[in-house]
Amino acid sequence: MLCILDARTGEPVPAAPARRGLTRIEAHASGLDPTALRVLLTADLLVRALELGGTPVWTILTAPRDQPELCTAATRLAIRPFEDGRDLASGLGDAQAIHVAQRGYEDTPGEGPVVAVAPAQWAEAAQAGPGGETGRPGEGTGRAGEGTGRPGEESRRAGGGRARPGEEAGTVGGAPEERPGAAAGGPSAPGLVPDTVADPATATAPSAPSAPSGPSVLASGSSVLAALLSDPAALRLALLAVPRSRPVRLDAATLDDAARSLARWRRAVAGWARQPSRPVPGEVRERLRAAWDDDLDLPAVLGVLRDVESAPGIPDGARFETYAYADRLLALDLLRDLGNPA
């Protein structure tokens, strides 16, 4: 059974009634910015996980402004469409409500548990503070004692998305040698903005132009989101790879690393599909379900996929079915390259 951490009480609670009745997911977004996209993505993951467990779900979006733009950005991120209003469920019986909101908004109106989401920032905009002062990467991103979230860090515990201090960071989905800057004095894991770039001539960047710096950029959102949504699937993977309880800083290197991992996984899935199909190994299925049932621990889900990718003794047909099964939750379009020439 899927359990989530209720930010109102600090206690884990079931995400759906035992009777598998209708569950309403309400996403609360304050405006058009990266954190709002992370809130909407978390709501989408909750919907998909509940549906995989057989629970009927409907979702609504509450936003004081920019709602059409938020819905457009959500569509690009493969987020399920939101309903237009609360009254659409009239006549369908009582519905349990689950609220998804940015951390700090635990007093969300309405009954039901609150799933809190830590902030997401586009690093090039976040480095400039009020008055043009530039902060060091990792400073001022969350509560005291919290480090900067690194895409690819994998949960090392059984407590779901609630990361413990000092957890090690891994990769988004790739082998260590694929990390940008790892061999040239750069960060050992994507998601951290380096103090210096070893070789600017070889640095990679998304196709869209970088967002200008300044404290007002995240408020307007347009330039930031243009950069982030230049590769929506890469952005989705980069956000999935960090526990939602930890702040995440996104930069060009992070998105490029995620795009490389996606390309490799899609090639691998297309190759595995040419072999006879085999069922998902029972132990692997249990690990996947245990991960996402434990407070939507998506970094752990990605960790299972990395293990399946390289573990000896698993038939390629079983690897294919594992990735296809997990993608029902992840929605990374991992089967996109099926039928394409190698």
Side-chain angles (χ1 to χ4, degrees), residues 106-271:
E106 285 80 4
D107 293 331
T108 299
E111 298 181 354
V114 174
V115 176
V117 180
Q121 294 178 313
W122 178 244
E124 295 179 17
Q127 283 183 344
E133 295 181 2
T134 302
R136 292 180 58 84
E139 292 181 343
T141 60
R143 298 171 179 171
E146 285 189 303
T148 301
R150 304 180 184 179
E153 65 183 334
E154 184 178 345
S155 176
R156 305 295 184 188
R157 41 80 186 145
R162 304 177 294 282
R164 293 175 178 173
E167 285 182 322
E168 296 180 356
T171 62
V172 170
E177 60 268 16
E178 294 188 11
R179 298 171 181 166
S188 61
L192 291 178
V193 184
D195 292 326
T196 59
V197 178
D199 186 1
T202 61
T204 58
S207 57
S210 298
S213 61
S216 64
V217 173
L218 291 181
S220 63
S222 57
S223 297
V224 173
L225 295 185
L228 289 175
L229 292 172
S230 61
D231 188 343
L235 172 60
R236 187 175 176 108
L237 177 56
L239 291 173
L240 294 179
V242 181
R244 71 167 186 277
S245 62
R246 301 189 64 174
V248 57
R249 282 196 173 191
L250 301 163
D251 60 9
T254 302
L255 298 183
D256 184 69
D257 180 77
R260 290 171 185 266
S261 298
L262 272 177
R264 192 190 76 252
W265 272 355
R266 287 166 174 169
R267 287 194 302 269
V269 168

